[in-house]
Amino acid sequence: MEVNNLNSVSNVSVNNVPKQYVDKSKFDGSVGIIDENNDALKVSINEIYNKKRDELSHSLRNLNEGIAATQISVNALGKQQENLNHIGSALIKLENSGDYENKRFETAQEISDQLNEYNKEADNARYNKKLLLDDQYGDEIINVVTQSKNYQINGVNTKAISQDLVTSLQSNSLSSSEDVTSALGNVDEALKKSRTFSEDFSQMNNEMKQVARGTLNEQINLLKDNTRLKDMNFGSDFSDFSKTNITTQLGNLAASQAHIIQEQTSKLLV
């Protein structure tokens, strides 16, 4: 074979890559179907996110109200217990003095003053204009509805405690050690009842705080997930992958053609 025939071989180049590959190398990144699906997916994500966000917000709003109501109750009950402790201290002071005849009226006045303060706390403990500690019928103050559990907060009647104490002391002249001991027993009984109310409100308060923390964490995680999904560009990612894939294929085809040219040229020169 003559060397001139090499001209026909030299025409074999990358230009001979099949047309379908060359056309794909001009990919402009427009993927209509993917964009359409991406838009639908974004709508779906937004709907799910908005629904979940609203549910969490509603739960958290209810929890905040419940925490506020129970915290007001706990604080007021704590002050009422201080009043009862002051009464107990006054009685012990009378007992230690031994001067029942001269000190009992002073002690009775101290008891009266402390009970008035006790009742004021019951009058002032309110949530949304509803009495929390002066409710004779245990009416519902608020119903806290959450995704995991509902909490019904009812009012309590702490004035009944002070009234029982007043009734017991009316027949007590505080004129002897036995009288003082009996009065101290009545105060201890009043404190037990008050502490039972405190424990109930405190337990509910702590539970709702724990649920609220979990709800806040859910909101934060939901926001992070939603932000991450919004940042994803499915059409762009597909386009970048397609361009890279086609470029790689073209490179492989070019290398193959070059190898064919070299091999045929070597044969002709033999």
Side-chain angles (χ1 to χ4, degrees), residues 28 34 40 49 64 80 82 102 153 182 215:
D28 61 1
I34 295 298
Y49 167 74
N64 284 335
Q80 287 183 329
E82 289 178 6
N102 294 322
I153 301 173
S182 175
T215 303

Side-chain angles (χ1 to χ4, degrees), residues 9 257-270:
V9 177
Q257 295 287 7
H259 178 73
I260 292 171
I261 294 171
Q262 182 179 5
E263 181 177 319
Q264 291 184 359
T265 303
S266 299
K267 288 181 180 179
L268 290 172
L269 292 174
V270 174

Side-chain angles (χ1 to χ4, degrees), residues 67-115:
I67 291 170
T70 52
Q71 191 63 59
I72 292 171
S73 300
V74 169
N75 292 343
L77 282 163
K79 292 178 181 178
Q80 287 183 329
Q81 288 161 21
E82 289 178 6
N83 297 135
L84 295 175
N85 283 324
H86 284 312
I87 293 173
S89 297
L91 289 169
I92 292 172
K93 183 179 179 181
L94 175 61
E95 173 71 12
N96 292 336
S97 72
D99 189 1
Y100 302 108
E101 188 62 30
N102 294 322
K103 298 289 186 182
R104 63 193 181 96
F105 296 105
E106 178 183 334
T107 301
Q109 185 60 50
E110 176 66 17
I111 292 172
S112 177
D113 291 343
Q114 291 298 327
L115 286 175

Side-chain angles (χ1 to χ4, degrees), residues 7-222:
N7 291 329
S8 61
V9 177
S10 62
N11 291 329
V12 180
S13 64
V14 178
N15 293 327
N16 290 333
V17 175
K19 186 176 184 298
Q20 62 267 31
Y21 293 111
V22 177
D23 290 340
K24 286 187 178 181
S25 68
K26 299 176 182 179
F27 183 76
D28 61 1
S30 60
V31 187
I33 296 177
I34 295 298
D35 286 340
E36 183 179 346
N37 290 340
N38 186 26
D39 290 340
L41 182 58
K42 285 182 178 179
V43 170
S44 177
I45 290 170
N46 285 334
E47 288 177 349
I48 294 172
Y49 167 74
N50 290 335
K51 181 180 179 182
K52 185 67 173 178
R53 179 200 60 193
D54 292 344
E55 289 175 352
L56 292 174
S57 297
H58 181 71
S59 293
L60 191 60
R61 182 169 59 253
N62 289 344
L63 285 165
N64 284 335
E65 292 182 356
I67 291 170
T70 52
Q71 191 63 59
I72 292 171
S73 300
V74 169
N75 292 343
L77 282 163
K79 292 178 181 178
Q80 287 183 329
Q81 288 161 21
E82 289 178 6
N83 297 135
L84 295 175
N85 283 324
H86 284 312
I87 293 173
S89 297
L91 289 169
I92 292 172
K93 183 179 179 181
L94 175 61
E95 173 71 12
N96 292 336
S97 72
D99 189 1
Y100 302 108
E101 188 62 30
N102 294 322
K103 298 289 186 182
R104 63 193 181 96
F105 296 105
E106 178 183 334
T107 301
Q109 185 60 50
E110 176 66 17
I111 292 172
S112 177
D113 291 343
Q114 291 298 327
L115 286 175
N116 285 333
E117 292 298 318
Y118 177 102
N119 288 332
K120 284 181 182 178
E121 289 297 334
D123 292 333
N124 293 332
R126 299 168 182 259
Y127 185 78
N128 286 341
K129 299 181 180 181
K130 293 182 179 180
L131 291 166
L132 293 165
L133 305 183
D134 185 19
D135 190 338
Q136 297 181 13
Y137 305 104
D139 294 333
E140 179 182 303
I141 303 299
I142 183 175
N143 187 26
V144 180
V145 179
T146 72
Q147 289 182 302
S148 58
K149 183 178 179 180
N150 295 344
Y151 301 88
Q152 183 175 317
I153 301 173
N154 297 328
V156 296
N157 186 11
T158 61
K159 281 189 176 180
I161 296 175
S162 63
Q163 186 58 49
D164 289 344
L165 189 57
V166 169
T167 300
S168 64
L169 291 175
Q170 282 178 342
S171 59
N172 191 330
S173 63
L174 301 179
S175 57
S176 66
S177 176
E178 289 77 10
D179 289 343
V180 173
T181 300
S182 175
L184 284 171
N186 294 329
V187 173
D188 286 341
E189 185 65 26
L191 279 168
K192 287 179 182 178
K193 293 178 181 177
S194 180
R195 285 167 182 160
T196 298
F197 289 146
S198 290
E199 289 170 1
D200 292 341
F201 280 118
S202 294
Q203 181 179 354
M204 193 177 299
N205 182 271
N206 291 331
E207 284 185 13
M208 287 189 291
K209 284 181 178 177
Q210 185 174 359
V211 175
R213 292 189 189 99
T215 303
L216 282 172
N217 287 333
E218 280 191 73
Q219 284 187 320
I220 293 171
N221 292 333
L222 180 66

Side-chain angles (χ1 to χ4, degrees), residues 225-252:
D225 289 342
N226 185 62
T227 301
R228 178 177 58 81
L229 289 171
K230 282 185 176 180
D231 288 341
M232 291 176 64
N233 189 331
F234 297 100
S236 175
D237 292 344
F238 181 83
S239 171
D240 292 341
F241 169 78
S242 299
K243 289 178 181 179
T244 302
N245 189 41
I246 291 170
T247 302
T248 301
Q249 294 295 335
L250 288 172
N252 292 336

